[in-house]
Amino acid sequence: MAGHGYESGRLNLPFVGISTFGKRAYVADWDAIEADVAVMGAPFDFGTQFRPGARFGPRAVREASTLFSFGHAGAYDHEDDATYLGPEVTIVDIGDADIVHTDTVKSHANIETGVRAMLKAGVLPVVIGGDHSINIPCIRAFEADCAEKGPIHILQIDAHLDFVDERHGVTEGHGNPMRRAAEKGYVSGITALGIRNVSSTSKEGYDAARAMGDDFLSVRQVRKLGAEGVLARIPEGARIYVTIDIDGFDPSIAPGTGTPSHGGFLYYEVLEILQGVAKRHEVVGIDLVEVAPDYDPTGSTPILAAQVLLNFLGFIFHARQSGGAPAAG
Amino acid sequence: MAGHGYESGRLNLPFVGISTFGKRAYVADWDAIEADVAVMGAPFDFGTQFRPGARFGPRAVREASTLFSFGHAGAYDHEDDATYLGPEVTIVDIGDADIVHTDTVKSHANIETGVRAMLKAGVLPVVIGGDHSINIPCIRAFEADCAEKGPIHILQIDAHLDFVDERHGVTEGHGNPMRRAAEKGYVSGITALGIRNVSSTSKEGYDAARAMGDDFLSVRQVRKLGAEGVLARIPEGARIYVTIDIDGFDPSIAPGTGTPSHGGFLYYEVLEILQGVAKRHEVVGIDLVEVAPDYDPTGSTPILAAQVLLNFLGFIFHARQSGGAPAAG
Amino acid sequence: MAGHGYESGRLNLPFVGISTFGKRAYVADWDAIEADVAVMGAPFDFGTQFRPGARFGPRAVREASTLFSFGHAGAYDHEDDATYLGPEVTIVDIGDADIVHTDTVKSHANIETGVRAMLKAGVLPVVIGGDHSINIPCIRAFEADCAEKGPIHILQIDAHLDFVDERHGVTEGHGNPMRRAAEKGYVSGITALGIRNVSSTSKEGYDAARAMGDDFLSVRQVRKLGAEGVLARIPEGARIYVTIDIDGFDPSIAPGTGTPSHGGFLYYEVLEILQGVAKRHEVVGIDLVEVAPDYDPTGSTPILAAQVLLNFLGFIFHARQSGGAPAAG
Amino acid sequence: MAGHGYESGRLNLPFVGISTFGKRAYVADWDAIEADVAVMGAPFDFGTQFRPGARFGPRAVREASTLFSFGHAGAYDHEDDATYLGPEVTIVDIGDADIVHTDTVKSHANIETGVRAMLKAGVLPVVIGGDHSINIPCIRAFEADCAEKGPIHILQIDAHLDFVDERHGVTEGHGNPMRRAAEKGYVSGITALGIRNVSSTSKEGYDAARAMGDDFLSVRQVRKLGAEGVLARIPEGARIYVTIDIDGFDPSIAPGTGTPSHGGFLYYEVLEILQGVAKRHEVVGIDLVEVAPDYDPTGSTPILAAQVLLNFLGFIFHARQSGGAPAAG
Amino acid sequence: MAGHGYESGRLNLPFVGISTFGKRAYVADWDAIEADVAVMGAPFDFGTQFRPGARFGPRAVREASTLFSFGHAGAYDHEDDATYLGPEVTIVDIGDADIVHTDTVKSHANIETGVRAMLKAGVLPVVIGGDHSINIPCIRAFEADCAEKGPIHILQIDAHLDFVDERHGVTEGHGNPMRRAAEKGYVSGITALGIRNVSSTSKEGYDAARAMGDDFLSVRQVRKLGAEGVLARIPEGARIYVTIDIDGFDPSIAPGTGTPSHGGFLYYEVLEILQGVAKRHEVVGIDLVEVAPDYDPTGSTPILAAQVLLNFLGFIFHARQSGGAPAAG
Amino acid sequence: MAGHGYESGRLNLPFVGISTFGKRAYVADWDAIEADVAVMGAPFDFGTQFRPGARFGPRAVREASTLFSFGHAGAYDHEDDATYLGPEVTIVDIGDADIVHTDTVKSHANIETGVRAMLKAGVLPVVIGGDHSINIPCIRAFEADCAEKGPIHILQIDAHLDFVDERHGVTEGHGNPMRRAAEKGYVSGITALGIRNVSSTSKEGYDAARAMGDDFLSVRQVRKLGAEGVLARIPEGARIYVTIDIDGFDPSIAPGTGTPSHGGFLYYEVLEILQGVAKRHEVVGIDLVEVAPDYDPTGSTPILAAQVLLNFLGFIFHARQSGGAPAAG
């Protein structure tokens, strides 16, 4: 950074500088990704059934992430007495997958290409949506990875089950991703948390989900079980892919989303489950979807998304360093 | 719907189509209401003492209700393993009561006319405010009904007691409805939940309320009692009229209202009480008031209103079908 | 309306009642459209290249149209000393075309079906978008009509030329409609007004447009010519289809749109051209697109759209009654 | 101000300090008003027929007025080479008229009381609405003043004629004030500028207006006449009461109002007419109404209102000092 | 108030009148403060590291406070069966400290001057920020007071520790105040509640805080301890200065702030601690900071601030009257 | 870009990808700037006297600039029949100057360092503010450049004269920059356009400006002169530095600013002057300031800023290529 011409370095306040994820370096060449984590945007929202705008999710989450990016030497958390994401953890931002308006198939294929590049580079892939349909190409991209390293188990934080098979020919909208995932031979199961209220999934969808290995729990059921009880339901030793639909959270803290559903999770409820997963499991992929920032003029929603992602990444690499979870394999 | 010319029917996504309540049929002729439930708007807000705008409550709640209207065969709730509001429950939207600017008396009279028409038709009347003063003509409309079927007990969800007798000549503002109701011979009592903080009701009003049979509890008192404890305080066998002031909820989920008051109810707290009431009592009328949508650009408030109303209607008719609550009449 | 039970009729203030277009009757059966004008929503926005949200255009324009709907006997305009849209002009709202998320082809086909139904019924079709790609199925629906009655000339109000042939396989996005129209044998020409600044159409697109009969003018060029000068460039006797992209207007009065472009038209500039067209030509179809209401919290944009549409309809039927323009057919 | 303890005085930036009008002194005792100008709020909005919220007009205009209040020695205008509102012009803020919810008659009476107090004190009364119905008590308050000093002529800046006699019993809503004024013996005439588009006034209302001495002009008619041409239509020597409905301005600069109407006045068009009136006539009263600030998150609307009022007051007292207009009395 | 000319007094609804704090009298002369409580604004926000706008905190909190100001005889709270802030408690608003743009030193000095004036007058000083750096001059102003009456203990409600010593030369930004306070000989200790997540304070800052007598607890730690447990950690007999950073609260109820942090306090959690402090300790000073109202279009944040301040003042004076806490002195 | 793994290249829609200015390459090393133009953010806003938030100007303008960045081969303008900013013009984004909260001197010094680096690299420096005080270090940075190449003449687009010498010790706030510039020996004069209404500059400031060579014109004066008339007042052959305060534009198109002033410039008025300057003069530096995006939820203001900057850069390099203006150097 000497190039900036400031002999004393930069204070680098959150509002200063280009908005890459966590103000980390931008890597435009997907053949040259070298890091522990790579973050990619997937600004696709033609799959949504109510309010659009998740295409601006990646930009908003990147901008919000700058609020948490002013530590030079990692983020000290006094509750855990731990420093997260110190200089030994490298994160890069590889920009966005290319999106083609009117064309769902091509846009999804471009997202898949990006995740394949990340997996090929051996980094932990983090994808910021976009609507929940972008999970479909993300999971598709894991086919080769799973062929080599074994199946993945999906941990879903969401208000909606997203287990519609097909309606009016639609199979890759934001109501379909978990059904598509469950069909894959390399997805060993799904743990879905926060599922509540009416949605596009019908009773038949719920029955199918149960039959296909989807263990879904409502917010109240999760609260009764507690974090430990929930964690106990995830198969031991499973490689975990985490998909976080921001509407799994309560509208009080995540109003900026397309299909809000009251009665959702509060912050620590999700955080503690994610921390537990980081300690017990290898986390092999993450997506966070459905942040539609223009519906939240307070900015709370993208701040929540950034805060959750950065904390979760902190937990994962802290656990890897502590030996608490197997390193990527 | 064959007339729409789509051989395969309509997908009917939430954002598509005219915004009637729950996308149900609009019935303009109040002499021809045939249904289980009729929904009417009462867009009157000259009774408010701080921020106006509840006149747009009916439009906003109707629009929000479309988010929950894409099930073809009712809404399946996996927590209850029940399908609510299937095709056997008929709901119609009868539009709005006519409102006359500057004229409270005439506007209230028009609201009363609408509720009378609904009661005459034998449907469950649901009125969407408008400010809480619209409860006054709603209750007035029940006089004949109660003469025939017996008195009603009012269940009030609210931040404010609304028990002012008169100030500066005002007797029918949004601070007066429960006092006006308590004066009726056919109102046997009031259970008021969520009452907290300073309001337009003075100490004398609280004393009068107690003396006139108003059993009021704060949010913290309700939390200590639990849903069961609260339900036990409502007289067994009572015919229940429910009036929900959206400011009974916490500003975190219902900021779009005229006189927000921190420390309010969260979603499940109210939902579980309403579910209990639906199981134990005949519900004979509902109003939901004080949604002022323009103060909530996130849309969370009208979504909450729609979600509560649709769930409550689901509970009521599920209980009627299960024999858990006496059918109307 | 006697069914409403008000002996003295309704005052029917703008904020009262269900939001159909102009508070006119809703006709669900597309085989039973009987009126002079039918209005249909086309809430499709997967074709947009920047900010989405035009799917809420139809709802917003309908709601805004209620502001201009409180005259009982038409709207008196003192400047023209004329009463527009009196009871002799019948307008119906036929709801929305069905939209299928992720599927542009099916959604467009459903829009085409609606326009065909309107043309079959012999009404003037008015379609509210949705993004500008919805013009493609609208024009397609005119094929049979033009085979019978002769070609149409398109009058386009827009910031962008929308003359892209194909990019990355996209041929039916919101940058393509005028190219698609120009390819039709039954489109005799295009007059495009307001075209300015950089857009998705490249120099080659402009050259092709000129070659294919598109007479495009910038805002400044229109101002130099004046309304009369512009009207003189439209072939005499042409049957006119008018497509209004709200971004043809200046962002100062139409900020609620996906791709705003400064330097656009002010209100009277467009109004006077539309009034002139109504006097000289038979107007056979109208669409108004790209109102994305959630980007304009003031509501000015949908109010503009409603005000333009209602005035234009008034001009058209006033001219028909005065013999100033040939009646349909 | 020495009491503030700052030896060097105060910089007094616009965002600092209590928001009275122009940061002038607040006078609570209406029997002790001593100044050249007194400003009173009339936060009444039950008279509006669409979007409410003008009750917050006085607060918003006061707050916006602080932006123009950081000159110590008056405001120098380089275009006029004049210093306006120097220390020799005293302005006081007398707070708001008391408003009684649900009660139009009492609220209007309280407004009238305030204006009477100002007239009794011999100051120029400036009233900030509230909706346009507040003009009714303002004009009523002039009865005694006119009995003594002669009739007033009203200069109205507005989109709407506001000449409804009665609808559904309403005679004092925001569609009625000019009819009520025209009925007064001491109102010699009305010049109404900006009248356009459909409104609650029917053709009969326009005919009555003409018959009762209302000279109304549309925006385009005013533009053709020019400021001088318009000023020439106001009877020489008339004592002028100016009523400014903010919706007379274009929605591009005044979106924060209840019933916006496109095609309105731009800033200088109104300013130059007001400057001309100040030079030629004695201005005896002013109201500015219909600022509904919550519909304009940019704040442009109350800033416009404050800027217009402060400039107009500057013109009036500059003219009085220059002998260009007769002093009060 | 007889001067207002209303024989029957004023209804004085919340939206009516000048926005001083609690609609209490404004005292411009800081040498003539006579009251129990004085409220001053400190609209300074150059110390913030992310979103600015806390300079509008004082205006917004004053305006919000009018919602709670319509009781004539104090505010009756039915949960406590107590009437708070009756006529025996006098509160005055002394306006704002003068702020000088670009100049932190001078602005802070002006704030200090105001607090000194309040302390000299013997009132309880309440300062509304502004960003948290304004606590630095507030604490500085207590030097003489503490020399006379003994040291103060600071109770801090906050998301952030604010214990940075110096970064890039900055020692008086909003990340520094608690470090500056801890350095004072007359500050005996700090109890910091709500501290969570990453902030500008590094691990070294946390270590220094512990070493310098700062007892900090996270939200979850406070929840485990309960209000009583927390109160027990504050030294008995301590004179308490309370500094409330609104971001100590959860973004769900306080989104209008510069650096929101999820996982914060809910309303009653803070209220009950403040009530306990009021009962057990002499409270000698209060500041409430970081309300940036323009980031919360719902208005919930300033309403929370006003509600907390007014309740806290009620508790303090109720306790003084009941002998539960030592009177000032 | 082959590294992205898309064989067919990228469609690169505006909403896709990292938000650098115009989606151009980010250059972190200020010793390695190689381009025709370099763009730097100066997110400083402690110099503002009303609404803050210009610190988010650089981010907002960068994000808005993506709307105009989807041409592959430059932007074709049909009015000029010219292609602007083709691949032969290289633009880089060098990020932001480092800002130190509470410290105006250090922040300004860091801005100066950035401009010096750009000048040293021989590029055209473009600085996005930030408030107008950031012009002070920008001009300071030109000292050496002017010593070598001769003085600069400043073209200012602004509502305010910004010619305050000193108030309360403030010499480098946003009311001072033109005074500071005029004091420099290497600033040969100032042409200030758009100056209107009351501001922080007093009559003495206006007199000093005239005396020190500031040729200021109001909006109406500019309109009377026309673009050509205005251009004729700029000394022939002058090297021009252009400083654009976004509040020079009308609030109708630029409401997102700190101190809006009605009656400002419309789009083409400024554009045509800038185009004329580009043709006649060497433009040696540009800053665009006072975009406070959070006050404009429509996004029109940053879109205007981006549109003006990109067009102006297009004009400059088109003129250089055409030989219409002397190349740098």
Side-chain angles (χ1 to χ4, degrees), chain D residues 41-74:
Chain D
F44 172 90
D45 63 4
F46 325 152
T48 190
Q49 298 175 93
F50 194 45
R51 308 194 297 199
R55 67 178 61 185
F56 287 111
R59 283 197 182 161
V61 176
R62 282 182 178 114
E63 189 165 328
S65 75
T66 65
L67 175 53
F68 305 103
S69 307
F70 53 115
H72 296 291

Side-chain angles (χ1 to χ4, degrees), chain D residues 138-162:
Chain D
C138 289
I139 295 301
R140 256 197 317 251
F142 269 82
E143 185 167 19
D145 178 86
C146 291
E148 185 190 341
K149 299 177 188 161
I152 53 176
H153 183 94
I154 295 178
L155 172 63
Q156 175 196 8
I157 310 290
D158 205 335
H160 310 95
L161 194 64
D162 294 347

Side-chain angles (χ1 to χ4, degrees), chain C residues 6 14 57 161 168:
Chain C
Y6 299 130
L161 194 65
H168 279 243

Side-chain angles (χ1 to χ4, degrees), chain A residues 97-147:
Chain A
D98 200 45
I99 301 300
V100 180
H101 57 305
T102 74
D103 194 334
T104 299
V105 171
K106 230 174 245 188
S107 302
H108 278 185
N110 287 343
I111 295 166
E112 188 179 339
T113 298
V115 179
R116 281 188 199 280
M118 292 192 274
L119 289 172
K120 193 178 153 203
V123 302
L124 174 66
V126 177
V127 180
I128 304 173
D131 70 49
H132 215 157
S133 76
I134 66 101
N135 171 268
I136 298 174
C138 289
I139 294 301
R140 255 198 316 251
F142 270 82
E143 186 167 17
D145 178 87
C146 290

Side-chain angles (χ1 to χ4, degrees), chain D residues 5-296:
Chain D
Y6 299 129
E7 290 177 17
S8 53
R10 293 193 146 235
L11 178 57
N12 201 12
L13 290 174
F15 61 84
V16 173
I18 303 294
S19 293
T20 54
F21 185 80
K23 292 200 187 173
R24 295 319 200 278
Y26 168 56
V27 172
D29 183 350
W30 291 1
D31 293 334
I33 302 169
E34 281 184 64
D36 296 306
V37 181
V39 179
M40 181 183 80
F44 172 90
D45 63 4
F46 325 152
T48 190
Q49 298 175 93
F50 194 45
R51 308 194 297 199
R55 67 178 61 185
F56 287 111
R59 283 197 182 161
V61 176
R62 282 182 178 114
E63 189 165 328
S65 75
T66 65
L67 175 53
F68 305 103
S69 307
F70 53 115
H72 296 291
Y76 177 70
D77 185 306
H78 77 91
E79 286 189 85
D80 296 346
D81 191 20
T83 297
Y84 293 118
L85 300 181
E88 73 288 354
V89 183
T90 54
I91 303 176
V92 294
D93 188 325
I94 67 163
D96 289 351
D98 201 43
I99 301 301
V100 180
H101 56 305
T102 75
D103 194 333
T104 299
V105 172
K106 231 174 246 184
S107 302
H108 278 184
N110 287 343
I111 294 165
E112 188 180 338
T113 298
V115 179
R116 281 188 199 281
M118 292 192 274
L119 289 172
K120 192 178 152 204
V123 303
L124 174 66
V126 177
V127 181
I128 304 172
D131 68 50
H132 215 157
S133 77
I134 66 101
N135 171 268
I136 298 174
C138 289
I139 295 301
R140 256 197 317 251
F142 269 82
E143 185 167 19
D145 178 86
C146 291
E148 185 190 341
K149 299 177 188 161
I152 53 176
H153 183 94
I154 295 178
L155 172 63
Q156 175 196 8
I157 310 290
D158 205 335
H160 310 95
L161 194 64
D162 294 347
F163 217 88
V164 176
D165 187 8
E166 180 272 339
R167 285 175 73 209
H168 280 244
V170 179
T171 57
E172 304 212 337
H174 78 162
N176 308 100
M178 291 303 108
R179 182 72 167 244
R180 291 296 83 79
E183 291 166 352
K184 303 295 184 214
Y186 54 89
V187 173
S188 55
I190 298 171
T191 302
L193 308 176
I195 312 306
R196 61 193 186 271
N197 290 311
V198 58
S199 76
S200 56
T201 305
S202 62
K203 182 177 190 323
E204 290 67 32
Y206 282 91
D207 293 342
R210 268 189 213 96
M212 294 170 79
D214 189 335
D215 179 29
F216 50 85
L217 296 168
S218 74
V219 170
R220 289 183 286 188
Q221 289 163 342
V222 167
R223 284 178 185 160
K224 269 181 208 142
L225 286 168
E228 287 305 307
V230 168
L231 289 163
R233 296 168 78 116
I234 303 177
E236 209 176 331
R239 301 172 73 222
I240 303 289
Y241 181 98
V242 178
T243 181
I244 301 170
D245 186 324
I246 202 76
D247 69 20
F249 287 95
D250 196 72
S252 61
I253 53 175
T257 192
T259 53
S261 179
H262 285 279
F265 286 124
L266 299 181
Y267 177 63
Y268 294 117
E269 292 174 327
V270 171
L271 195 76
E272 291 171 5
I273 289 169
L274 295 179
Q275 192 163 18
V277 165
K279 281 182 184 156
R280 300 173 185 210
H281 294 272
E282 184 194 359
V283 176
V284 298
I286 301 168
D287 64 57
L288 186 152
V289 299
E290 299 283 359
V291 174
D294 292 318
Y295 284 100
D296 179 7

Side-chain angles (χ1 to χ4, degrees), chain B residues 11-287:
Chain B
L11 179 57
N12 202 11
L13 290 173
F15 62 84
V16 173
I18 304 293
S19 293
T20 55
F21 185 79
K23 291 200 188 172
R24 294 320 199 276
Y26 168 55
V27 173
D29 183 350
W30 290 3
D31 293 333
I33 302 169
E34 281 184 65
D36 295 306
V37 180
V39 178
M40 182 183 79
F44 173 91
D45 63 5
F46 325 151
T48 190
Q49 296 173 97
F50 194 44
R51 309 193 297 198
R55 67 178 61 185
F56 287 110
R59 283 199 182 159
V61 176
R62 282 181 178 115
E63 189 165 327
S65 75
T66 64
L67 175 54
F68 305 104
S69 306
F70 54 113
H72 297 290
Y76 178 70
D77 186 307
H78 78 89
E79 286 188 85
D80 295 347
D81 191 20
T83 297
Y84 293 118
L85 298 181
E88 73 289 353
V89 183
T90 54
I91 303 176
V92 294
D93 188 323
I94 67 164
D96 288 352
D98 200 44
I99 300 301
V100 180
H101 57 304
T102 74
D103 194 333
T104 299
V105 172
K106 232 175 245 185
S107 301
H108 278 184
N110 287 343
I111 295 166
E112 187 180 340
T113 298
V115 180
R116 280 189 199 280
M118 292 192 273
L119 288 172
K120 193 178 152 202
V123 303
L124 175 66
V126 176
V127 180
I128 304 172
D131 70 48
H132 214 158
S133 77
I134 67 100
N135 172 268
I136 298 174
C138 289
I139 294 300
R140 258 202 309 255
F142 269 82
E143 185 166 20
D145 178 86
C146 291
E148 185 190 342
K149 299 178 186 161
I152 54 176
H153 182 94
I154 295 178
L155 173 63
Q156 175 195 10
I157 310 291
D158 206 335
H160 310 96
L161 195 65
D162 292 347
F163 215 88
V164 175
D165 187 7
E166 181 272 340
R167 286 176 72 210
H168 280 242
V170 179
T171 57
E172 305 213 338
H174 79 162
N176 308 99
M178 291 303 108
R179 182 70 166 248
R180 291 296 84 79
E183 292 167 351
K184 303 293 182 216
Y186 53 89
V187 172
S188 54
I190 299 171
T191 302
L193 309 177
I195 313 307
R196 61 192 186 273
N197 291 310
V198 58
S199 76
S200 58
T201 305
S202 63
K203 182 177 191 323
E204 290 65 33
Y206 281 91
D207 293 343
R210 268 189 212 94
M212 293 170 81
D214 189 335
D215 179 29
F216 51 84
L217 297 167
S218 75
V219 169
R220 288 183 288 188
Q221 289 163 342
V222 167
R223 284 179 183 159
K224 269 182 208 141
L225 285 168
E228 287 305 307
V230 168
L231 289 164
R233 295 169 78 115
I234 303 175
E236 210 176 331
R239 299 170 74 222
I240 303 289
Y241 181 98
V242 178
T243 182
I244 301 170
D245 186 324
I246 203 77
D247 70 21
F249 288 94
D250 197 71
S252 61
I253 51 175
T257 192
T259 54
S261 179
H262 284 281
F265 287 124
L266 299 180
Y267 177 62
Y268 294 118
E269 292 174 327
V270 171
L271 195 76
E272 291 170 6
I273 289 169
L274 294 179
Q275 191 164 18
V277 166
K279 281 182 183 154
R280 299 173 186 211
H281 294 273
E282 184 193 359
V283 175
V284 300
I286 300 167
D287 64 57

